[in-house]
Amino acid sequence: MADHNQSKRKRISHVTTGTQNSNNILSMLQRDAGVVGDGETARFVEGSILRITMKNFLTYDYSVVYPGPNLNMIVGANGTGKSSIVCAICLGLAGKTAILGRGDKVGLYVKRGCNKGFIEIELYKKDDNVVISREIYVENNKSVWMLNGKDSSQKVVEEKVKALQIQVGNLCQFLPQEKVGEFAKMSKVELLEATEKSVGPPEMYAYHCELKNFRGKERELENVVKEKTSFLEKARQRNERNKHDVNRYYEKKRHLDMIELLEKKKPWVEYETARQELEGVKREREEARKQLTSLKQAQAPMLKKIQMIDNQLKPIEAQIKAKTVNIKEASQKCKHKQDQLDRKHREIEDIKQALTLKQMEKEDHQKRISNTRRIIDDLKAELANIGEQPDVVPRIEAVNAELKRNQEERARVEGEKADLRREKDNLYAESKMLVKKLNDMNNMMNVKEEKLRGRHRDTHTAIQWLRKNRHLFTGNVYEPMMLVINVKDHQYAKYVENHISFHDLRAFVFQRKDEMEKFMSEVRDKLNLKVNSIFAPEESCSNRSPSRPIEALRRFGFFSYLREMFDAPDEVMSYLCHQYRVHDVPVGTEQTKAMIKTVIEEPYLKMLYTAEERYTVKRSLYSNKISTSNSAVHQSQYLNITVDAEEKRQLEQKIKTCEVKLKEIDERMKTLQQSAGALERRDNELREEKKRLSEQKGKKRQLEQKISTKQDSLRQMEHGGIDLRKIEEETKAKISAANSQKVSIVTEFMTQMKLRAKLSMEKVYLALETVGLTAEKTKLENDCREGAVELRTLDQVYNRLEQRKNQLTGICKGLMRRASEICNMDPGEAVPADLHTALSKLPDTLDEIDAMLNEERSRAECFTGLSENVVEEYTRREQEIKNLEKELDEKSNALNAYRQNISEAKERWLNPLKQLVDQINEKFSDFFRSMQCAGEVDLHSENEEEYDKYGIRIRVKFHSSTQLHELTAHHQSGGERSVSTMLYLMALQELNRCPFRVVDEINQGMDPINERRVFDIVVRTACKETTSQYFFITPKLLQNLEYAEEMTILCVHNGPQMLPPGQWDEKAFIRRKKSKA
């Protein structure tokens, strides 16, 4: 059970200005805690906290806190519940859990073992105090709100809190323990906004936001005006350029209209010209017809006689043609018979040639028989000569046996080579697979390295330096822990990462301290890199045994210690066992969480993990009672990429083994290749010897076979002779038959020759008759030739004129039709009066029209690249320009109005802001001067018109030898940042717009001198009558501090022997304390 004990003096309406030292604290504690009266509440600022009630909240079962109107000093040892009061203020006033930097779920703030918790805060308000109640349920993290005893919602509560100027999300008003370091990390812009909200007039921040919005809209309008001005100018320029094109377009159109009229008139002129020509041709044709008729009547008698001769010649010419055909047929038959005779001559010659060939074949046959007999005699002589040579069969058998042994040896060698090749292929495939696995592991390590570079670039730069300069170190040096720690199962990475601080995860680990100092000198001092490094304990702790074996904890759901969840080099593991006791921190499951009350009773467990939470267990040195704290286990960001180091080492070893085996196989293959070459050479030698012996053995048998073959061939030739006499008789019979056929052909040839001669004579008689008639016709034709020439000439003229008349008639019709079509007239329709008037003004000759057309076309062609789109675009852009000019006027007027509004808003915002910053700077500088240091606060802006870039810049100097430096998260030490933060908040305190401020353990990290100075400033400032309520939480205080009468000290105790709040007798406690003194 945790309880809260407070000591309060009776509140009075006046302010005691004097102070007293810490020896008189007991006198302050002697005052009774009474009900706040009307006179005393007058000292509270509206919105101040009058009462905080907590039930089943974090460390408290039930407690009520009554803060004072000025400085409230909340003191107590670590873990007693001081920060729980801060959490109650935040959550009770509808603040977010993220502000506290603890658990992200509101259910985590309910006391362990309880289903719900309760917070109630009473705020001072002149007419009627405001009471806000919040009941928190663990299940589903839900809350039930009440406002002044009535059901409400979180939104209504937030609005009520905001109306009282309470801002628990503003670090200038509410600075919890986990957010102290973030104050210095605030940007100048964020600090300005927080200051405006905290101490500025209510309308100041609204004016600032209004200015930023105005400026944003002004930029938008400026861009719009600029764009429209540019677009308008470009449109005007384009239209100015297009205006010339439009004028040229209309000039071209006038030429085109004239061309159209000329093209309409041209076919009418062509038609009239053709019609006049047609009339002239008709007159000429009629004159020619009359002359032709007169001449034909004069030539009629001679022409009749010539016609009679032509009638006689026609049958004679027909007979001549018939005779010519018959003569041709007779000639063809004669030629056919002549060809038959020639063929019979050739047939007789072929028969004689065949006989000659048979005679020559007979002579050749006799010669082959003689040659065969001579060859048989020679082979028999050779066979007799080789009959005495030795037997080679035993040697052949010996060679065969050796050849067989040699082949068996070659087969064995080839088998070994095949086995080695298969083994080599298998090893190569295995090596390739192992290299791929190793590359995959290295790629995973590269991902971890990239994550580190994104989070802390200086550390990554130091890694690159170490890799290039590792030869400078003799002992073991390891890259940051997060790169060398390898979690065996990625689901356990979150426990390891939550247990080891990021400060150490990015630290380099050294075996020797002197080499660590050498490394830090190089990278931190020379390269100006912010890195961390540690050195391992001299005596290795990596194999330390846990307090109890894990088997003894399995009944609670524990399954492993942290050390067993990851691999790391010995020096790294030794440091983690020594510093973080990873060998003695068990990890459990949901079963562990369900049994947590039993688990924390185990005396040897100081820290443990369940599935989603980390628990820290502390035991009181006085009462041996247990207090616990827990926090959520966040998901891993860096160690969830796991690489099994042992597997990686085994992979590297296997790859080396494969490489060695491959080299051995190559050597054995080389030896086997040499053996195979020697065996192949010996095999070739044995085969050559076997071939030679086999040839020697078979030579006699070959000779006997050849003799037998030749004798068979001789017998066949002797029985296969040619009968030459019979062939000669057959030849004579064939020649006699051919001569008989020749006689018959000659007879038929002579008959056709006689017929051809008779027909030729008859043709000659007919030709002589034809010559006589032709001579008479020629004489008549000569007599009338002169008249015939004139007649033909007149006939040709007449025909030509007839053709021209027909041609012109068609041309006139076509020209009439074409002229009507061009003028869009129906056939036979009269020319419209307006068109007739326009056409009458044009030339009436084709030459003039063509000349004028060419001229107009030439002028129109000068206007290139023009179309109706130019005119349309010009007209459309003219309208656009008018619209743009109107829009530009509207936007310009709107921009001027915005600028006027900005100017007015700037006056309303900037002048009060400068006065406010000057007031803060005056207080801040005074506080620093009282500490023999220097500090300044000013309004910073790179551009006066960029209202979202305005910020408050804090510059401090703690040493006389240095210059003023801007307060940042890196330049000053932690203690200096705490002092600067505290003094800035105190500078805001007297401006007193917010009803209260909360600062939690900001004095941690200060040196005693600065802490004492800051405490004095806090007491002097926060205890003035004009200041608002102030909560200062601290676990410790220096001795002999100066205190003020207006302070309220709230002492927080925690332990099993604490009395309930209702039973606490403050007077009895003081009496006992005095009696002991």
Side-chain angles (χ1 to χ4, degrees):
M1 169 182 175
D3 198 1
H4 173 79
N5 183 15
Q6 66 173 2
S7 177
K8 286 178 52 90
R9 60 176 178 77
K10 290 184 178 179
R11 298 186 174 90
I12 57 178
S13 60
H14 68 276
V15 178
T16 303
T17 57
T19 60
Q20 54 190 7
N21 60 35
S22 59
N23 293 328
N24 294 325
I25 292 178
L26 291 178
S27 65
M28 295 167 61
L29 296 175
Q30 288 174 349
R31 311 212 175 187
D32 293 334
V35 179
V36 179
D38 293 339
E40 199 167 352
T41 56
R43 297 184 57 197
F44 282 88
V45 177
E46 191 165 286
S48 298
I49 299 174
L50 296 176
R51 173 176 56 87
I52 306 168
T53 301
M54 296 169 285
K55 184 177 180 181
N56 296 329
F57 184 78
L58 290 175
T59 58
Y60 294 103
D61 290 332
Y62 175 79
S63 184
V64 182
V65 180
Y66 295 96
N70 297 107
L71 177 59
N72 291 274
M73 186 77 68
I74 302 177
V75 185
N78 286 330
T80 56
K82 304 184 302 301
S83 295
S84 298
I85 299 174
V86 176
C87 295
I89 294 173
C90 176
L91 299 180
L93 296 177
K96 308 296 183 186
T97 55
I99 297 171
L100 300 171
R102 294 191 174 191
D104 56 347
K105 298 176 182 178
V106 71
L108 297 174
Y109 292 85
V110 176
K111 186 171 184 179
R112 184 163 304 283
C114 299
N115 296 325
K116 62 181 180 178
F118 178 79
I119 307 168
E120 186 172 85
I121 297 178
E122 183 177 357
L123 302 175
Y124 174 72
K125 200 169 186 297
K126 187 174 182 181
D127 297 331
D128 191 12
N129 291 345
V130 177
V131 179
I132 300 172
S133 303
R134 182 177 188 176
E135 198 165 31
I136 303 170
Y137 290 88
V138 175
E139 185 178 1
N140 298 329
N141 293 292
K142 291 184 177 179
S143 297
V144 176
W145 294 88
M146 295 186 73
L147 185 62
N148 295 326
K150 297 179 181 180
D151 291 338
S152 185
S153 65
Q154 182 171 342
K155 185 176 181 181
V156 173
V157 172
E158 288 174 351
E159 292 174 353
K160 192 68 175 179
V161 169
K162 184 178 180 182
L164 292 171
Q165 309 298 329
I166 298 173
Q167 306 166 26
V168 291
N170 190 337
L171 294 183
C172 288
Q173 181 177 345
F174 193 88
L175 192 61
Q177 180 179 350
E178 285 75 9
K179 297 290 183 177
V180 170
E182 292 191 11
F183 186 89
K185 297 179 183 178
M186 291 173 68
S187 67
K188 294 187 282 292
V189 175
E190 293 171 337
L191 184 57
L192 172 60
E193 292 181 355
T195 303
E196 286 177 328
K197 294 175 183 178
S198 178
V199 298
E203 67 276 4
M204 178 176 286
Y205 181 67
Y207 288 157
H208 191 183
C209 294
E210 185 181 25
L211 265 177
K212 288 190 284 187
N213 292 333
F214 280 162
R215 178 55 182 159
K217 292 180 180 178
E218 182 189 17
R219 286 198 201 97
E220 293 177 6
L221 284 173
E222 285 176 348
N223 292 333
V224 169
V225 170
K226 185 177 180 181
E227 289 175 4
K228 289 191 178 295
T229 302
S230 175
F231 190 76
L232 178 60
E233 185 61 28
K234 290 179 181 177
R236 285 172 174 166
Q237 291 174 0
R238 284 197 297 269
N239 246 24
E240 192 61 32
R241 290 194 298 270
N242 289 349
K243 187 174 182 180
H244 177 63
D245 292 338
V246 170
N247 294 334
R248 294 175 68 239
Y249 172 79
Y250 284 122
E251 181 69 20
K252 179 181 179 181
K253 192 171 186 306
R254 284 194 294 274
H255 291 298
L256 293 176
D257 291 342
M258 179 58 69
I259 291 170
E260 185 179 359
L261 281 174
L262 288 169
E263 287 177 344
K264 285 181 178 179
K265 178 152 189 185
K266 185 176 180 180
W268 290 107
V269 174
E270 290 175 344
Y271 166 74
E272 184 62 27
T273 303
R275 189 187 64 77
Q276 292 175 2
E277 185 180 356
L278 175 60
E279 293 298 326
V281 169
K282 285 181 179 180
R283 288 192 296 273
E284 291 179 5
R285 183 182 70 95
E286 185 62 26
E287 184 68 26
R289 187 183 64 75
K290 291 177 180 179
Q291 293 178 6
L292 183 63
T293 303
S294 175
L295 186 59
K296 282 183 177 180
Q297 290 175 354
Q299 293 287 334
M302 285 187 289
L303 292 174
K304 185 176 180 182
K305 193 170 184 178
I306 291 171
Q307 184 64 40
M308 290 174 60
I309 294 172
D310 286 336
N311 293 337
Q312 292 177 1
L313 284 172
K314 285 181 180 177
I316 295 172
E317 289 175 351
Q319 291 179 18
I320 291 172
K321 288 181 180 179
K323 295 297 180 184
T324 302
V325 171
N326 292 333
I327 291 169
K328 186 177 180 181
E329 290 178 356
S331 298
Q332 288 178 348
K333 289 180 179 178
C334 290
K335 185 178 183 303
H336 178 64
K337 294 300 178 183
Q338 184 64 48
D339 292 340
Q340 287 182 342
L341 284 174
D342 292 340
R343 285 198 293 274
K344 289 299 176 182
H345 283 306
R346 287 196 295 275
E347 183 179 348
I348 292 171
E349 290 298 325
D350 291 341
I351 292 170
K352 291 179 180 178
Q353 183 67 29
L355 177 61
T356 304
L357 292 174
K358 290 295 183 181
Q359 291 172 346
M360 293 174 65
E361 185 179 352
K362 179 69 175 179
E363 293 177 0
D364 291 340
H365 185 69
Q366 291 299 326
K367 290 180 181 178
R368 286 200 300 274
I369 290 173
S370 300
N371 290 336
T372 302
R373 286 174 178 167
R374 187 174 65 255
I375 290 171
I376 290 171
D377 293 339
D378 294 338
L379 290 173
K380 287 181 178 179
E382 185 177 358
L383 180 61
N385 291 332
I386 65 172
E388 301 300 327
Q389 291 182 356
D391 188 8
V392 296
V393 173
R395 179 55 187 163
I396 291 174
E397 292 176 351
V399 169
N400 283 336
E402 186 177 354
L403 190 61
K404 183 178 180 181
R405 290 193 299 274
N406 195 64
Q407 290 174 345
E408 290 174 352
E409 181 64 19
R410 285 184 67 189
R412 183 187 65 77
V413 170
E414 290 298 327
E416 288 186 13
K417 286 171 65 178
D419 292 341
L420 287 176
R421 277 193 294 270
R422 283 194 297 274
E423 185 178 354
K424 182 177 180 180
D425 292 341
N426 292 336
L427 283 172
Y428 181 75
E430 181 182 359
S431 176
K432 189 175 180 181
M433 180 186 67
L434 293 173
V435 169
K436 184 178 182 300
K437 286 184 177 180
L438 184 61
N439 289 338
D440 291 342
M441 288 186 174
N442 290 333
N443 290 338
M444 293 173 71
M445 292 299 293
N446 291 338
V447 172
K448 291 173 72 174
E449 192 173 323
E450 284 300 315
K451 281 192 173 183
L452 175 60
R453 182 170 68 172
R455 176 73 182 273
H456 206 278
R457 186 173 293 275
D458 283 3
T459 303
H460 184 269
T461 305
I463 291 173
Q464 305 304 316
W465 182 90
L466 177 62
R467 290 174 180 172
K468 294 178 182 177
N469 299 277
R470 195 177 289 272
H471 61 279
L472 302 176
F473 306 96
T474 56
N476 292 333
V477 182
Y478 299 100
E479 293 178 359
M481 286 188 192
M482 62 178 292
L483 298 182
V484 299
I485 287 177
N486 183 63
V487 182
K488 298 177 181 178
D489 191 333
H490 67 87
Q491 64 178 331
Y492 301 143
K494 60 183 181 181
Y495 303 117
V496 180
E497 192 167 318
N498 275 268
H499 194 71
I500 305 170
S501 69
F502 182 73
H503 183 83
D504 278 350
L505 279 176
R506 64 181 181 87
F508 294 81
V509 182
F510 290 81
Q511 185 181 23
R512 295 170 50 182
K513 184 176 181 180
D514 58 333
E515 292 191 339
M516 180 189 75
E517 293 171 350
K518 178 180 179 182
F519 172 79
M520 295 302 287
S521 173
E522 290 290 336
V523 300
R524 184 177 62 188
D525 300 338
K526 295 182 180 179
L527 300 179
N528 198 25
L529 299 176
K530 294 181 175 63
V531 298
N532 298 330
S533 63
I534 58 173
F535 66 93
E538 294 182 0
E539 183 180 350
S540 177
C541 305
S542 60
N543 294 320
R544 280 185 182 177
S545 300
S547 303
R548 292 183 66 182
I550 194 65
E551 288 74 15
L553 301 178
R554 293 194 187 279
R555 59 194 176 94
F556 299 122
F558 292 108
F559 60 90
S560 175
Y561 284 106
L562 271 180
R563 181 176 61 184
E564 276 64 48
M565 290 184 169
F566 65 93
D567 295 318
D570 187 73
E571 286 81 357
V572 176
M573 186 66 80
S574 176
Y575 173 79
L576 294 176
C577 289
H578 176 76
Q579 185 69 21
Y580 290 94
R581 299 186 61 79
V582 293
H583 64 288
D584 209 22
V585 177
V587 181
T589 60
E590 290 295 339
Q591 178 188 350
T592 310
K593 183 177 180 181
M595 301 175 64
I596 195 64
K597 289 186 178 180
T598 305
V599 172
I600 61 177
E601 296 294 334
E602 293 294 318
Y604 47 84
L605 291 177
K606 296 182 179 179
M607 184 175 289
L608 58 95
Y609 286 86
T610 64
E612 299 295 337
E613 293 178 312
R614 177 174 70 175
Y615 287 83
T616 303
V617 182
K618 295 182 180 179
R619 294 182 178 276
S620 172
L621 297 176
Y622 304 100
S623 61
N624 203 32
K625 292 298 181 179
I626 298 171
S627 63
T628 63
S629 62
N630 68 301
S631 59
V633 175
H634 302 293
Q635 292 300 318
S636 172
Q637 297 183 27
Y638 305 101
L639 301 182
N640 54 352
I641 301 173
T642 60
V643 176
D644 191 331
E646 179 60 24
E647 183 183 356
K648 182 179 179 184
R649 188 191 62 77
Q650 290 179 1
L651 282 175
E652 292 172 344
Q653 184 60 38
K654 286 180 180 179
I655 291 172
K656 290 180 181 178
T657 303
C658 287
E659 291 174 351
V660 171
K661 287 183 178 180
L662 285 171
K663 288 181 180 178
E664 292 177 355
I665 288 173
D666 288 340
E667 291 296 328
R668 291 171 61 190
M669 284 288 288
K670 186 176 180 180
T671 303
L672 289 174
Q673 192 66 35
Q674 292 174 352
S675 300
L679 290 171
E680 185 177 4
R681 288 192 297 275
R682 180 56 181 162
D683 187 87
N684 292 334
E685 292 173 357
L686 291 172
R687 289 183 184 278
E688 287 294 328
E689 184 177 0
K690 180 180 177 181
K691 180 180 179 182
R692 181 178 55 77
L693 293 173
S694 298
E695 289 176 352
Q696 185 177 348
K697 175 184 175 183
K699 191 171 183 180
K700 181 178 179 181
R701 185 169 63 252
Q702 290 175 359
L703 287 173
E704 292 174 348
Q705 290 176 351
K706 286 182 180 180
I707 291 171
S708 175
T709 301
K710 290 297 181 181
Q711 288 175 343
D712 292 340
S713 178
L714 180 61
R715 285 192 293 272
Q716 290 177 0
M717 285 188 291
E718 289 176 345
H719 289 88
I722 298 173
D723 189 352
L724 190 59
R725 183 178 299 173
K726 182 179 179 181
I727 292 172
E728 290 175 350
E729 291 176 356
E730 291 175 353
T731 301
K732 288 179 181 180
K734 290 178 181 179
I735 292 172
S736 177
N739 287 330
S740 299
Q741 293 174 357
K742 284 174 65 178
V743 171
S744 175
I745 292 169
V746 169
T747 302
E748 293 178 359
F749 177 72
M750 292 303 297
T751 301
Q752 292 297 326
M753 286 293 290
K754 290 176 180 179
L755 177 60
R756 187 177 67 175
K758 178 183 177 184
L759 292 171
S760 297
M761 289 301 295
E762 291 175 353
K763 181 180 178 182
V764 169
Y765 293 145
L766 290 171
L768 291 173
E769 187 177 356
T770 300
V771 169
L773 291 171
T774 302
E776 186 178 357
K777 178 183 177 182
T778 302
K779 182 177 179 299
L780 290 171
E781 287 177 347
N782 290 333
D783 291 341
C784 65
R785 180 170 290 126
E786 293 179 2
V789 171
E790 187 179 357
L791 182 64
R792 281 196 301 276
T793 302
L794 282 173
D795 189 49
Q796 290 174 358
V797 169
Y798 177 81
N799 290 334
R800 186 169 63 253
L801 290 171
E802 180 68 22
Q803 292 175 359
R804 181 60 179 162
K805 181 195 75 117
N806 296 334
Q807 183 181 4
L808 287 172
T809 301
I811 289 172
C812 286
K813 291 180 180 179
L815 289 172
M816 172 64 78
R817 186 168 53 254
R818 178 167 169 268
S820 298
E821 289 175 355
I822 290 176
C823 295
N824 296 320
M825 295 164 47
D826 294 330
E829 182 182 356
V831 179
D834 56 344
L835 180 61
H836 185 273
T837 302
L839 295 179
S840 63
K841 296 177 182 179
L842 299 177
D844 293 325
T845 64
L846 284 175
D847 292 339
E848 290 176 330
I849 288 176
D850 287 339
M852 194 170 180
L853 266 175
N854 291 332
E855 182 180 355
E856 292 296 330
R857 283 171 179 161
S858 298
R859 290 182 178 180
E861 287 172 358
C862 293
F863 302 95
T864 58
L866 299 176
S867 67
E868 291 183 4
N869 294 336
V870 176
V871 179
E872 293 175 0
E873 185 178 357
Y874 179 82
T875 306
R876 178 178 54 79
R877 192 172 288 120
E878 279 291 326
Q879 185 60 40
E880 285 182 359
I881 289 172
K882 292 178 181 177
N883 295 336
L884 279 173
E885 289 172 344
K886 183 178 178 182
E887 291 178 12
L888 185 59
D889 290 340
E890 293 174 356
K891 295 297 181 182
S892 298
N893 294 334
L895 178 60
N896 293 331
Y898 261 104
R899 285 173 175 167
Q900 182 63 31
N901 292 337
I902 289 174
S903 178
E904 295 172 359
K906 184 177 179 181
E907 289 294 326
R908 293 195 302 268
W909 170 73
L910 190 57
N911 292 336
L913 178 61
K914 288 180 177 179
Q915 294 174 5
L916 178 65
V917 174
D918 289 341
Q919 293 174 8
I920 296 172
N921 178 51
E922 182 180 355
K923 297 292 182 184
F924 189 75
S925 300
D926 289 344
F927 291 153
F928 262 86
R929 276 196 298 272
S930 68
M931 295 176 61
Q932 287 79 49
C933 300
E936 287 183 1
V937 176
D938 61 3
L939 187 62
H940 180 265
S941 175
E942 295 178 358
N943 184 348
E944 288 190 1
E945 302 303 322
E946 299 295 335
Y947 303 107
D948 55 344
K949 302 293 178 62
Y950 273 78
I952 285 182
R953 179 174 60 180
I954 300 175
R955 296 192 297 163
V956 294
K957 181 177 75 170
F958 287 90
H959 307 286
S960 59
S961 59
T962 60
Q963 300 294 323
L964 285 169
H965 288 286
E966 186 174 344
L967 179 65
T968 65
H970 307 293
H971 193 276
Q972 289 80 15
S973 67
E976 291 172 344
R977 291 198 299 272
S978 297
V979 170
S980 303
T981 302
M982 193 66 183
L983 294 184
Y984 185 79
L985 296 179
M986 295 314 301
L988 302 182
Q989 180 68 13
E990 291 192 42
L991 299 176
N992 194 23
R993 190 171 78 83
C994 61
F996 65 84
R997 282 190 174 80
V998 177
V999 179
D1000 190 0
E1001 296 193 17
I1002 197 170
N1003 57 334
Q1004 298 300 306
M1006 294 185 190
D1007 61 80
I1009 296 174
N1010 284 336
E1011 184 175 355
R1012 184 176 299 278
R1013 291 172 176 173
V1014 169
F1015 185 84
D1016 291 342
I1017 293 171
V1018 170
V1019 172
R1020 289 199 309 271
T1021 305
C1023 292
K1024 291 182 179 179
E1025 185 176 357
T1026 57
T1027 61
S1028 59
Q1029 193 178 39
Y1030 201 97
F1031 292 87
F1032 185 79
I1033 294 90
T1034 179
K1036 63 180 181 64
L1037 288 172
L1038 299 175
Q1039 295 180 356
N1040 301 319
L1041 293 173
E1042 296 291 335
Y1043 295 88
E1045 187 70 19
E1046 290 75 18
M1047 290 175 60
T1048 300
I1049 299 178
L1050 303 172
C1051 298
V1052 182
H1053 300 282
N1054 188 319
Q1057 308 303 325
M1058 293 298 299
L1059 291 173
Q1063 299 178 18
W1064 176 258
D1065 189 345
E1066 187 177 294
K1067 293 180 179 180
F1069 172 76
I1070 295 173
R1071 283 198 302 270
R1072 286 196 302 273
K1073 197 69 177 177
K1074 278 186 173 182
S1075 63
K1076 290 181 180 180

